[in-house]
């Protein structure tokens, strides 16, 4: 399988600069790299982005995360491998990624309070930016049919 075109972020270098700035901001937000990868993996699973699912899986494995924990991200509600803070981040990830599936608030007050019980404002900002940029990449990759195993 081959992508339809070069990733648009590489075709338009100023786009890559902006994306780099977003990631720089995310990395100053105080959430761990492992949580960033878990959140990215979950959003990518929901969106069916094989390139991103593959990349997040590989990054988590390279960081020493157990295969058991990585595999359980898709079923995190029923898995014992995630703490309450991670569960709140995963719940937020699903709500923001599935925003079109809701009839009410994308993130209701109860969910917001749950997230805020575990994360401060900078961490929540990092999570929201991360979820947004992951969804953006998922949509880019779906559009150009970026195959799993692509490296950036």
């Amino acid at each position: 399988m081959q992508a339809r075109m070069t990733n648009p972020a590489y075709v338009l270098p100023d786009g890559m600069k902006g994306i780099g700035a977003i990631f720089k901001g995310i990395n100053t937000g105080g959430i761990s790299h492992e949580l960033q990868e878990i959140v990215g993996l979950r959003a990518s699973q929901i969106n069916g982005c094989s390139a991103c699912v593959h990349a997040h899986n590989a990054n988590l494995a390279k960081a020493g995360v157990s295969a058991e924990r990585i595999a359980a991200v898709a079923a995190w509600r029923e898995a014992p491998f995630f703490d309450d803070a991670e569960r709140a981040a995963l719940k937020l990830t699903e709500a923001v990624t599935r925003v079109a599936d809701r009839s009410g608030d994308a993130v209701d007050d109860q969910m917001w309070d749950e997230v805020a019980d575990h994360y401060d404002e900078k961490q929540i900002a990092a999570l929201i930016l991360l979820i947004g940029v992951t969804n953006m990449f998922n949509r880019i990759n779906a559009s150009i049919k970026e195959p799993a195993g692509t490296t950036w």
Side-chain angles (χ1 to χ4, degrees):
M1 177 179 259
Q2 188 172 1
R4 290 178 167 150
M5 66 178 282
T6 301
N7 191 295
Y10 292 116
V11 173
L12 304 172
D14 286 339
M16 185 55 83
K17 289 177 191 173
I19 292 164
I22 292 170
F23 278 113
K24 185 177 179 182
I26 291 166
N27 288 328
T28 65
I31 57 174
S32 71
H33 181 70
E34 184 173 334
L35 182 61
Q36 290 180 41
E37 293 293 341
I38 287 170
V39 164
L41 175 57
R42 185 64 193 124
S44 299
Q45 289 170 334
I46 292 166
N47 290 321
C49 180
S50 66
C52 291
V53 167
H54 181 273
H56 291 297
N57 272 295
N59 292 344
L60 285 163
K62 184 177 178 181
V65 177
S66 71
E68 187 173 62
R69 182 167 153 85
I70 297 169
V73 169
W76 64 268
R77 283 182 175 80
E78 294 79 26
F81 308 115
F82 306 97
D83 64 26
D84 290 342
E86 291 166 330
R87 290 175 183 283
L90 286 163
K91 189 180 287 186
L92 179 66
T93 300
E94 290 186 356
V96 174
T97 300
R98 292 184 165 137
V99 71
D101 296 344
R102 297 179 145 285
S103 58
D105 292 337
V107 179
D108 63 30
D109 291 339
Q110 181 180 355
M111 184 184 311
W112 186 265
D113 290 344
E114 184 178 345
V115 171
D117 285 345
H118 299 284
Y119 301 100
D120 65 25
E121 187 173 44
K122 283 181 68 174
Q123 292 168 319
I124 294 170
L127 282 168
I128 291 169
L129 286 174
L130 176 64
I131 296 163
V133 77
T134 301
N135 277 281
M136 179 193 72
F137 271 116
N138 293 163
R139 283 151 178 77
I140 289 169
N141 291 334
S143 298
I144 66 169
K145 293 189 172 186
E146 190 80 79
T150 300
T151 55
W152 299 282

